[in-house]
Amino acid sequence: MEICCMNLIEDKGKTSGWKPTYGTQKDSIWSKKWGCCLADKPTAKSYRACYRAMKQKCLLQDLSYYCCLELSGTQENLLKALSPLSSWEAGTTFASVDCLSGKRQGSLVLYKAEQYPAKPLGPIVFLWRPKAEPENQSENRQLWIWAHPALKTEALIELQLACQCSDAPLPEPAPSECSASAPGRAGSKRKLQDQAGEEVIPKKKIIGNSTRDPLKPVSWTSLTTGIVIEDLTMEILRYRLVGPLSHSVIFEVLQPALVLEDSEAKGEVMGARDVPCWWSQYCGKSEDVDLHHRQGDFLQLLSGVASPAEISAGSILGLTVRDPRLNIPESRTPALPDPSEFKDLEKIKELSLRGVPTECAQSPIWDRNIRNIVTENKISEQELNQMKSKLLVPGSQLNLGPRESKIPILLVQQPGKRAGKEHIGWGSGWDILIPKGWGMAFWIPLIYRGIRVGGLQEGAKHSQYQGIPCFPDDFPDCPAGTRHCEETEKELVEKYKRYPPAKRPNYVHYGTMTPFRCPWQRLVEEWEVKTNANDVTPTASGKDPEAKSEGLNSSMKPIGVNEAEVCKQSSDEEKTLEPKEEMEQGSGNITVLEPKTLSIEDISAESGHASILRSRKMLRQLSAWCQPTSSCGQRVKPFARSLPGQMTTDVVNSIVCSLPRFLVWARVSLLKKGSPDANAMICIPSNEDLQLIASDAKNCAPQEPKHRDPFKRQIKTLKDKKKKALSEDLESGSGVQDSQLVSNRRKDLILGLWPDQPKDVMSHCSRLTIGYVSHGDFSLNVGCGEGLGFVSLSGLLHMLSSQPAEKRGFVLVRNPASLQYRLAKLNIEV
């Protein structure tokens, strides 16, 4: 459960950033991110239990902290303004047919206008409101764009520029005639105002996003295009149900609202809070009643579906449901499918193939006035409990009649894992979109159906097992991803410095230049230089370059370092802190990685920043060249369609020249023991490594020789100088200034870390580095260590072109605090 600054109450939300489910704050460990108070993980030890819920049962996540932006205008103007922000080469666009009709949810990566494939902003999901009159081409359309809070600022600015919207706010919509009366003074106790206990008046007003500056506008309009952008952040809640039983939970919690008869809709005179007048107007139209019945029939069909993955990806179903608080069981009961119920197999098959019809995706939740009425006319918990206490038979269901609230919602199908050929449909489920103010009213009934609640960590694992990037961690080419990387590195460095030197790893000895971040920019720059120069290879000191393989593989185990020899060979503390990169190979032979003359600055001026390759056509070609195998190294069946062209030198050179600085999203699966950690290096194995592993089944992989730490002596010398300067202060007053100078010089020197910016990250170790693991762990889904990360496109093509066809795609993975390489298979899933 992720408690965020959603649906805040007036007396609490202005400072803390909680939402109505803050009553369950003891169940999770909290963290403040992106201006929200979010649940990081449950307090109970439930790592495996959450995985079992995602795989076999149902897991609940609160995604209400995601920001919603509404765009309204004519379809032609909206598509004309939004088309430069995406590309069909990367997949779905705003103009996709199924998404444009309103029957499917779409997802894409937003770019700056006309900048594809460079300058991405981040991923978004969008929903079009179905047309009320499909033949009317001039009808105004509504578009909802959901974005991560770290992406909201950049996305909103780019949308304003694309739609030519000004900063002039639109007037707030007038309240409806049947809206609730203004509540009393906020913060006053209900017992003082309701001493008789006969009638309860709501005393807390739902105000939505109170973390937003009230002086800033929430709507922007364009006088030229007529497009209106409105910020609906914290106006709509979004819950995600993951697992094969999510549709069973939905079927038990959500019940279609009862249609009012003519006598109930017209004959009774009710107050503003007694009956939601919008529903009586809705029931007055026969076509709306017929649509409501059809939507209820489709909800009934969900009970006959084995898994949400059987339904078309992104299908949308609009519903108007009863108050779920009236249908809570007495005890927590798991929701299970009932095989004894009658199931129309033909209709279920049609639902799986064609999805939900476009007209059934309609919902009154798109209307702002109706959302406000539903929020304001909600019966309070106190009044509801008082009515339950007056029942003649305790525990029986409360019947409110026409006073019962009718809540419009949207159900959005989540397809789960779609990339690759393994575990298709894993992690599928449903998203529930509900108006603000109804968070706890839906949360508690969902919990009583036996589901398990997850936080941010469970959401990250859900993305990892699906093999998709997680924003903003896995988007290093986006501004939000760059900021997140810098903040994470700063936190990890501070945590590293809090440990004593004897209780923390010395990353210099392990040859890890950047243990707390992945130097993507430097990596693609050096591979670009290698592509141009074609001469960057580790060589043995005093040996012929052709015999480099013998020097690299003559010793697979690290040799101990003689401290006296290190002190003798270390440079003086007054010299520059740029030592040669040396590694011991035994018997006095030192392997020297000769520094290359890299014109990185010149290339940086000519080329842009590192970008991620998102062209689906190119990714399919690379995936075929990698010869995809399963996670355990077993060959999968070939593609049904014809494979792309063969891997020739001309094709490789044309790709490298056209895409010099691109990263490729990849999955590495360890073939034997071990599991990758974050920031682990992905390296190219030599031919001797592959032969050694093939000849000896017990041999996992080679080892990296231990590196010498040239900064240890300098840190010790500066420390002695500081002590000497402090002692001289007792005799004269000049020691203070000397001590400050020494302290300033020591700030950049941390024992165990490289002080300077990383250089030669590609060839720093005995094996060439082509990429890094963004996050990895032992995968419960496949039963082996798996990692997700990026590899340089130039480095990947260099590796594939140099490997034999039967061993193409094998790589070495080494964790930042380890010298042991692990053999892995690299897969590119599309």
Side-chain angles (χ1 to χ4, degrees), residues 4-262:
C4 62
C5 50
M6 166 66 62
N7 282 16
L8 306 172
I9 54 176
E10 190 174 7
D11 59 343
K12 187 178 180 71
K14 291 186 177 179
T15 57
S16 60
W18 303 100
K19 70 164 190 171
T21 52
Y22 66 85
T24 57
Q25 55 184 301
K26 296 181 180 179
D27 297 339
S28 300
I29 298 175
W30 304 101
S31 61
K32 293 184 178 181
K33 293 183 178 180
W34 312 300
C36 307
C37 296
L38 306 178
D40 189 57
K41 61 180 179 180
T43 53
K45 295 182 179 179
S46 57
Y47 177 79
R48 289 180 178 268
C50 289
Y51 167 75
R52 288 194 297 267
M54 288 187 287
K55 184 178 181 181
Q56 302 173 0
K57 300 178 182 179
C58 184
L59 180 77
L60 174 61
Q61 293 177 291
D62 187 356
L63 303 183
S64 303
Y65 63 93
Y66 270 67
C67 305
C68 180
L69 302 175
E70 180 182 275
L71 280 69
S72 59
T74 61
Q75 177 177 312
E76 181 181 359
N77 291 337
L78 286 174
L79 293 179
K80 183 178 180 181
L82 298 176
S83 60
L85 305 182
S86 61
S87 175
W88 60 269
E89 295 182 1
T92 307
T93 63
F94 290 103
S96 298
V97 177
D98 289 340
C99 300
L100 190 60
S101 64
K103 64 180 298 185
R104 303 279 176 85
Q105 174 186 257
S107 61
L108 54 84
V109 176
L110 201 67
Y111 288 83
K112 286 185 174 292
E114 303 292 350
Q115 296 295 325
Y116 175 84
K119 296 183 179 181
L121 298 178
I124 62 169
V125 294
F126 60 93
L127 291 83
W128 286 94
R129 182 177 185 178
K131 287 185 177 181
E133 300 177 2
E135 296 80 9
N136 188 4
Q137 299 297 331
S138 61
E139 177 186 358
N140 271 15
R141 300 293 303 274
Q142 285 178 263
L143 173 66
W144 281 352
I145 296 178
W146 295 82
H148 194 275
L151 170 64
K152 176 185 175 182
T153 303
E154 290 86 359
L156 183 58
I157 294 175
E158 194 63 27
L159 289 174
Q160 291 176 357
L161 294 176
C163 299
Q164 304 178 15
C165 291
S166 61
D167 291 336
L170 291 178
E172 291 291 334
S176 178
E177 297 179 358
C178 57
S179 60
S181 57
R185 183 175 59 88
S188 58
K189 295 184 178 180
R190 283 176 283 188
K191 291 183 179 180
L192 296 179
Q193 296 187 10
D194 186 28
Q195 297 179 358
E198 297 178 355
E199 183 180 359
V200 180
I201 302 176
K203 296 302 182 294
K204 295 180 180 180
K205 181 181 178 181
I206 305 298
I207 61 175
N209 183 14
S210 65
T211 59
R212 182 173 51 205
D213 188 356
L215 300 179
K216 290 185 178 180
V218 296
S219 299
W220 300 265
T221 182
S222 173
L223 300 179
T224 57
T225 61
I227 298 176
V228 178
I229 301 178
E230 187 174 358
D231 186 4
L232 298 184
T233 302
M234 312 305 175
E235 295 292 324
I236 302 173
L237 301 180
R238 189 170 188 135
Y239 291 162
R240 174 163 295 177
L241 302 178
V242 180
L245 297 183
S246 57
H247 60 286
S248 299
V249 174
I250 290 176
F251 177 72
E252 291 195 9
V253 174
L254 305 181
Q255 295 183 356
L258 302 177
V259 178
L260 297 179
E261 301 296 337
D262 294 340

Side-chain angles (χ1 to χ4, degrees), residues 379 383-391 398 400 403:
I379 300 177
E383 183 178 0
L384 194 64
N385 292 334
Q386 285 184 358
M387 288 186 290
K388 288 182 178 180
S389 65
K390 297 178 181 179
L391 292 174
L398 181 63
L400 298 180
R403 292 189 57 191

